[in-house]
Amino acid sequence: MQIFFDDRQCLHDPKRELHNGDWTDYFESASRARAIGSTVGKADAPGDFGEAPIASVHSPEYIQFLKTAMTRWREAGRSGDAIGYVWPVVRRRALQFGRIDADLGQYSMDASTPLTEGTWEAAYWNAQCAIAAANTVLSGDKSAFALCRPPGHHAGRDYLGGYCYLNNVAIAAQHALDNGRKRVAILDVDYHHGNGTQDIFWDRGDVLFASLHADPATDFPFYWGHADEQGEGAGAGSTMNYPLPRGTKIAGYQEALRKALERIEQFKPEMLLISFGADTFSQDPISHFELQAGDYSLIGSDIAALGLPSVIVMEGGYDLETLGQNTAEFLSAF
Amino acid sequence: MQIFFDDRQCLHDPKRELHNGDWTDYFESASRARAIGSTVGKADAPGDFGEAPIASVHSPEYIQFLKTAMTRWREAGRSGDAIGYVWPVVRRRALQFGRIDADLGQYSMDASTPLTEGTWEAAYWNAQCAIAAANTVLSGDKSAFALCRPPGHHAGRDYLGGYCYLNNVAIAAQHALDNGRKRVAILDVDYHHGNGTQDIFWDRGDVLFASLHADPATDFPFYWGHADEQGEGAGAGSTMNYPLPRGTKIAGYQEALRKALERIEQFKPEMLLISFGADTFSQDPISHFELQAGDYSLIGSDIAALGLPSVIVMEGGYDLETLGQNTAEFLSAF
Ligand SMILES: [Zn+2]
Ligand SMILES: [Zn+2]
């Protein structure tokens, strides 16, 4: 299986995040990418496919914001990483501001996802990996893996959050549709709900989004991923959420997975894109499922049994000791 | 003029706020209330009118949240003040959570308005002051002043923000309507847009909301208070926003004020409620207008010339040296 990674993805390097009312070390570190890379095998640098595939998912204003935010933050006299402090919780709409703090809230959903000097470049090459993996599968390979980091599935069309800036899996899915595929499915098996991906394809009938994740009543991102969220308009019924309780073990996980896979089969997609997170692992420091070493090959096999061309995109997973091995195990099924 | 204040309002005492990407001292200190109280003259403690007038503006879930948040924060093992870290920026809806962090985001709009042990009690007595002032005017007095602190105009029906927890002026306005008045007007002359008040009465035809404030393109709360926001449904045309540029002096201020007062006269309210903030002052440490000592009597006189029974509710103002004097000057016109 071809694997894509670019060293520039490590240029994104936040110093800290807001957590439990105070600063804490940033969990989504560049070491994650190195831990995965050193285990899953040789990676290729992606080609440069430019901004167009990114702009087919994210708004031009948001892309411009990501590119310029740090310069504006510095011009405002601020040291350290950039984060917002107020958010448009009601009647959010596209507005133009003359202040970086306003844009930080307009284009984000949390105070835990800082922008740093290298964020745009890292996110850009991250997205190129996802596009390269999609191209590989579009060209006939059975599967490909985009070693994305920072992750992407919490990022919406015009907002960052949950460690995510560009929605890599959404960019890959849209790229497949823009290159001849008529229907694609996205399966999200990260511990956390892929709210950004859901939001991007919320009213779209050509993309099925199915997500298994910790119940948002207790886990981030809280406000999305509840079972009654099923899409709207042309997308009504094309969003499927399977919230699972903390403590979920492989049996409960596979039961929900079977339902999601049945729904994907019914949808008859031409390609499957998988948001893979290893933060479902029992020892993950920020998560609360009870999957064990060995379970990832079972999950991989269940999904691979669909027999669909598959693009696997890395999302979360924060236990540096096991992250590479669990990911490699999952990939081995494809 | 009768003045209402209760010492318990000082029980709210946050240690710090998130500002420019890091912690800073909390500007909205209890010293503000003491600075005003020592200058404007003797204040009376309000009666206890209970929770019903509060519940006619704020949702029961939000009130319950305010009452229990700190206990839940401590139960979650957290020290320090409580603040959220993620917000429902799209498709916000009423949801039930099993985690205090989720509720903190569900019921707030920023990361700069912490909850402390004394917040609910302070906010409660704060609201009682506003109700007492409304009752005084309902009983025939020409005017009354509620020395509210913390302020209220950024708080919505079910969210806190901008140093505000209960929307004192909205509670007083609704109380007047619930006690026989058919139409009331709220004039907001704080430096910042009263987004919470606007939101509460957004679709209401019985309350005119008019606000003069710094252009939200550059100033908090950014996402609301733009000139094109005019209400909806039965409230269409009953919201009037007059954003003004940084650097505005008394001449420009009075010109916008004249327009707002004309609109209020046309509305023919039976009572006027004023959200008064002294943060329009040139020396205010967080604001950028250029009003001077002496200007507040001009503004007060312009408003008092309407001849309407007037309830004045304190909002912002952060220059402790001049806060009392500017407020006293404003009040002297009524
Ligand atoms: Zn995750
Ligand atoms: Zn203010």
Side-chain angles (χ1 to χ4, degrees):
Chain A
M1 179 191 301
Q2 201 171 0
I3 297 172
F4 293 96
F5 179 71
D6 191 294
D7 275 332
R8 284 167 283 194
Q9 294 170 233
C10 295
L11 293 173
H12 171 67
D13 187 24
K15 297 296 172 288
R16 59 187 187 179
E17 61 180 277
L18 188 65
H19 182 68
N20 294 354
D22 211 341
W23 302 118
T24 185
D25 288 345
Y26 200 67
F27 273 106
E28 201 288 290
S29 67
S31 314
R32 295 180 59 248
R34 305 199 195 284
I36 300 165
S38 66
T39 317
V40 296
K42 189 187 160 298
D44 298 316
D48 187 349
F49 305 98
E51 267 179 50
I54 297 171
S56 69
V57 161
H58 294 285
S59 74
E61 293 80 10
Y62 177 61
I63 293 171
Q64 183 65 12
F65 163 75
L66 288 178
K67 287 178 170 177
T68 59
M70 277 315 283
T71 303
R72 295 173 60 202
W73 183 254
R74 297 281 179 255
E75 283 170 0
R78 318 282 173 72
S79 59
D81 302 340
I83 64 166
Y85 74 102
V86 56
W87 285 267
V89 295
V90 295
R91 276 188 283 285
R92 182 179 188 270
R93 58 179 178 145
L95 286 166
Q96 300 291 322
F97 298 106
R99 192 159 146 200
I100 181 62
D101 308 277
D103 279 335
L104 281 163
Q106 175 85 10
Y107 295 119
S108 74
M109 67 182 229
D110 68 30
S112 306
T113 308
L115 288 150
T116 72
E117 310 288 358
T119 298
W120 167 253
E121 194 170 354
Y124 179 87
W125 287 104
N126 213 15
Q128 300 304 322
C129 286
I131 299 160
N135 278 338
T136 299
V137 173
L138 286 168
S139 304
D141 278 29
K142 199 178 62 161
S143 62
F145 177 52
L147 204 179
C148 290
R149 177 279 153 186
H153 69 149
H154 295 303
R157 179 170 301 280
D158 61 354
Y159 55 90
L160 58 84
Y163 307 148
C164 301
Y165 304 84
L166 294 177
N167 194 311
N168 307 303
V169 79
I171 290 167
Q174 185 61 49
H175 184 71
L177 293 167
D178 291 340
N179 285 275
R181 298 301 178 271
K182 295 275 185 286
R183 295 161 75 80
V184 304
I186 301 174
L187 174 64
D188 191 321
V189 293
D190 185 272
Y191 178 80
H192 303 94
H193 178 246
N195 63 289
T197 315
Q198 168 173 300
D199 195 16
I200 288 165
F201 297 115
W202 183 247
D203 57 1
R204 291 270 295 272
D206 52 350
V207 179
L208 181 80
F209 175 70
S211 181
L212 279 70
H213 50 266
D215 189 341
T218 54
D219 283 79
F220 189 91
F222 306 126
Y223 314 111
W224 311 279
H226 302 266
D228 63 342
E229 294 163 31
Q230 303 185 359
E232 278 182 322
S238 294
T239 289
M240 308 294 300
N241 282 302
Y242 304 90
L244 297 165
R246 288 185 174 198
T248 288
K249 293 181 174 63
I250 185 64
Y253 197 89
Q254 282 186 301
E255 190 184 324
L257 181 59
R258 195 171 55 245
K259 291 180 201 165
L261 295 175
E262 275 172 22
R263 185 70 189 82
I264 289 171
E265 273 205 302
Q266 288 164 9
F267 187 74
K268 300 196 198 311
E270 295 161 84
M271 185 188 281
L272 179 66
L273 300 106
I274 304 165
S275 273
F276 173 73
D279 45 6
T280 48
F281 186 58
S282 58
Q283 302 303 316
D284 190 88
I286 66 171
S287 306
H288 306 276
F289 279 174
E290 293 294 337
L291 298 193
Q292 308 299 328
D295 290 346
Y296 292 93
S297 59
L298 301 176
I299 295 170
S301 299
D302 286 352
I303 301 171
L306 288 175
L308 288 166
S310 297
V311 176
I312 299 144
V313 176
M314 193 71 205
E315 302 287 358
Y318 304 94
D319 179 44
L320 294 176
E321 302 241 329
T322 59
L323 180 55
Q325 185 51 41
N326 288 337
T327 302
E329 222 186 75
F330 179 80
L331 295 178
S332 67
F334 293 86
Chain B
M1 180 192 299
Q2 200 170 0
I3 297 173
F4 293 97
F5 179 71
D6 190 295
D7 273 334
R8 284 167 282 194
Q9 293 169 235
C10 295
L11 293 172
H12 172 67
D13 187 24
K15 298 295 173 289
R16 59 188 187 179
E17 61 180 278
L18 188 64
H19 182 69
N20 293 356
D22 210 341
W23 304 117
T24 186
D25 289 345
Y26 200 68
F27 273 106
E28 200 289 290
S29 68
S31 313
R32 296 180 59 247
R34 306 202 194 283
I36 300 166
S38 66
T39 316
V40 296
K42 188 184 161 299
D44 298 315
D48 186 349
F49 305 97
E51 266 178 52
I54 297 171
S56 68
V57 162
H58 295 285
S59 76
E61 295 79 10
Y62 177 62
I63 292 171
Q64 183 65 12
F65 163 75
L66 287 178
K67 287 178 171 177
T68 60
M70 277 315 285
T71 303
R72 295 173 60 204
W73 182 254
R74 297 281 177 255
E75 283 170 2
R78 317 282 173 72
S79 59
D81 302 339
I83 65 166
Y85 73 102
V86 55
W87 286 267
V89 295
V90 295
R91 277 187 282 285
R92 182 178 188 270
R93 58 179 178 145
L95 287 166
Q96 300 291 323
F97 298 105
R99 193 161 145 200
I100 181 61
D101 307 278
D103 278 335
L104 282 163
Q106 176 83 14
Y107 296 119
S108 73
M109 67 182 229
D110 69 30
S112 306
T113 308
L115 287 150
T116 72
E117 309 289 359
T119 299
W120 167 254
E121 194 170 355
Y124 179 86
W125 288 105
N126 212 16
Q128 300 304 323
C129 287
I131 298 160
N135 279 337
T136 299
V137 173
L138 285 168
S139 303
D141 277 28
K142 198 179 65 161
S143 62
F145 176 52
L147 204 180
C148 289
R149 180 276 154 184
H153 70 150
H154 295 305
R157 179 170 301 281
D158 61 354
Y159 56 90
L160 60 83
Y163 307 148
C164 301
Y165 303 84
L166 294 177
N167 193 312
N168 307 303
V169 78
I171 290 167
Q174 185 61 49
H175 184 70
L177 293 167
D178 291 342
N179 284 276
R181 298 300 177 273
K182 296 273 182 290
R183 295 161 77 80
V184 303
I186 301 174
L187 174 64
D188 191 321
V189 292
D190 186 271
Y191 178 80
H192 303 94
H193 178 246
N195 63 289
T197 315
Q198 168 174 301
D199 195 14
I200 287 166
F201 298 115
W202 184 246
D203 57 2
R204 293 269 295 273
D206 52 351
V207 179
L208 181 80
F209 175 70
S211 181
L212 277 69
H213 49 266
D215 189 342
T218 54
D219 281 80
F220 188 92
F222 305 126
Y223 313 112
W224 311 279
H226 302 265
D228 63 343
E229 295 163 31
Q230 303 186 357
E232 278 182 323
S238 296
T239 289
M240 308 295 298
N241 283 301
Y242 304 91
L244 297 166
R246 288 185 174 197
T248 289
K249 296 182 172 60
I250 185 64
Y253 198 87
Q254 282 187 299
E255 189 183 325
L257 182 59
R258 193 172 57 243
K259 291 180 201 164
L261 295 175
E262 275 171 22
R263 185 71 189 82
I264 289 171
E265 273 205 301
Q266 288 164 9
F267 187 73
K268 299 196 197 312
E270 296 160 83
M271 184 187 282
L272 179 65
L273 300 105
I274 303 164
S275 272
F276 173 72
D279 44 6
T280 47
F281 186 60
S282 58
Q283 301 304 316
D284 191 87
I286 66 172
S287 306
H288 306 274
F289 279 174
E290 293 294 338
L291 299 193
Q292 307 299 327
D295 291 345
Y296 293 94
S297 59
L298 300 177
I299 295 170
S301 299
D302 286 352
I303 301 171
L306 287 175
L308 288 166
S310 297
V311 176
I312 299 145
V313 176
M314 193 72 205
E315 302 287 357
Y318 305 95
D319 179 43
L320 294 176
E321 302 239 330
T322 59
L323 180 55
Q325 185 52 41
N326 288 337
T327 302
E329 220 186 77
F330 180 80
L331 295 178
S332 67
F334 293 87

